Amino acid sequence: MLIPRLSVIIPASNEAGYIGACLTALFASSPINAECIVVANGCRDATAAVAQSYTAQAQAAGWALTVLDLPQGGKPNALNAGDQIAKAALRAYLDADVIVSPNLMAELITALDGNAPLYATGTARIPCAKNAVTRVYARFWQRLPFAQSPAPGYGLFATNAAGRARWGDFPAIISDDTFVRLQFKPDERVQVAATYQWPMIEGFAALTKVRRRQDAGVAEINRLYPGLLAREAKAPLSKARLLALALRDPVGFTIYATVSLAVRRKSGKEWARGR
């Protein structure tokens, strides 16, 4: 059996309602020699069984599919478990609610070719939310410096072998994607043109919960890895720029600001999907 060129690792905790669409899109990718490792962790639903049911579809598409069912939860532990059995030098880490476009995996393989350490991701698209507050928030959020920065990698990031050697096991921290992205300087990050859909969580309360966790994750990285955030390379959100954004989209600014104010009222580390 050929050694796969790409290993796609999908940590999945209680994702039975999402993992099927994720795998369907992944296995519809342009023909490549690849494997997919779904790591169900701490699930109280049928995530592992749903993922396993896609074995025939994976084989028909030329993919190898492995499903791990871990009793304990925790995304870092799931990522490490997937890494331990992955066979390919190129690694992609994919959230279970993300829908990739057909050419994305092939473009990532091309982008990561070479011996120099590299990080790559696709071009994210946020699908239209059902909730009106989330739709407005997402519209404004996509204009902020982070979303506009080079290769932000939310929901999907990939590295070549030299890039993966930049760190050992995934640490037990909140923001694994930020931690990995900041292992690379801006000129080592590549964003390919192929897209993927990254759904934003629905509703004001959920947005507040996720934003609170995101802020806690950034603060944790700053505390544990001093100086790492200097590699972020996003443009500063100056008062002038914020005013310009507010004038362009006053409703979006109001929703975003209200979520920001709500975040400051309470801190927490509970897991939540999306940003």
Side-chain angles (χ1 to χ4, degrees), residues 146-218:
F146 171 73
Q148 295 290 319
S149 65
Y154 46 90
L156 167 66
F157 57 86
T159 68
N160 60 6
R164 183 60 186 85
R166 287 274 174 91
W167 76 99
D169 287 346
F170 282 87
I173 59 174
I174 298 169
S175 189
D176 58 275
D177 53 351
T178 301
F179 171 80
V180 171
R181 186 175 68 254
L182 298 183
Q183 303 301 311
F184 299 85
K185 296 179 292 186
D187 62 359
E188 295 175 321
R189 302 177 212 154
V190 181
Q191 180 172 318
V192 302
T195 62
Y196 63 96
Q197 293 187 33
W198 180 80
M200 189 168 279
I201 200 162
E202 305 269 358
F204 179 84
L207 285 169
T208 301
K209 181 179 178 181
V210 169
R211 173 70 181 280
R212 184 180 298 128
R213 181 176 173 83
Q214 177 193 14
D215 289 354
V218 172

Side-chain angles (χ1 to χ4, degrees), residues 46-60:
T47 296
V50 172
Q52 195 68 57
S53 72
Y54 281 79
T55 299
Q57 184 174 329
Q59 291 175 345

Side-chain angles (χ1 to χ4, degrees), residues 6 90-91 107-116 118-120 158-161:
L6 175 70
L90 304 183
R91 303 285 168 88
E107 289 190 19
L108 290 178
I109 289 174
T110 299
L112 293 171
D113 186 36
N115 297 320
L118 289 171
Y119 166 102
T159 68
N160 60 6

Side-chain angles (χ1 to χ4, degrees), residues 184-262:
F184 299 85
K185 296 179 292 186
D187 62 359
E188 295 175 321
R189 302 177 212 154
V190 181
Q191 180 172 318
V192 302
T195 62
Y196 63 96
Q197 293 187 33
W198 180 80
M200 189 168 279
I201 200 162
E202 305 269 358
F204 179 84
L207 285 169
T208 301
K209 181 179 178 181
V210 169
R211 173 70 181 280
R212 184 180 298 128
R213 181 176 173 83
Q214 177 193 14
D215 289 354
V218 172
E220 182 181 48
I221 286 175
N222 195 39
R223 184 179 73 254
L224 297 177
Y225 307 98
L228 202 58
L229 289 175
R231 293 183 176 179
E232 186 64 83
K234 65 181 180 182
L237 184 59
S238 64
K239 291 182 179 179
R241 183 170 183 180
L242 184 60
L243 177 60
L245 289 172
L247 292 173
R248 181 180 179 183
D249 186 359
V251 177
F253 171 75
T254 300
I255 294 296
Y256 184 83
T258 304
V259 169
S260 299
L261 288 173

Side-chain angles (χ1 to χ4, degrees), residues 18 97-99 125-127 197-201 273-275:
Y18 294 88
D97 56 353
V98 165
I99 306 297
R125 296 284 183 261
I126 299 179
Q197 293 187 33
W198 180 80
M200 189 168 279
I201 200 162
R273 176 186 293 109
R275 241 184 194 78

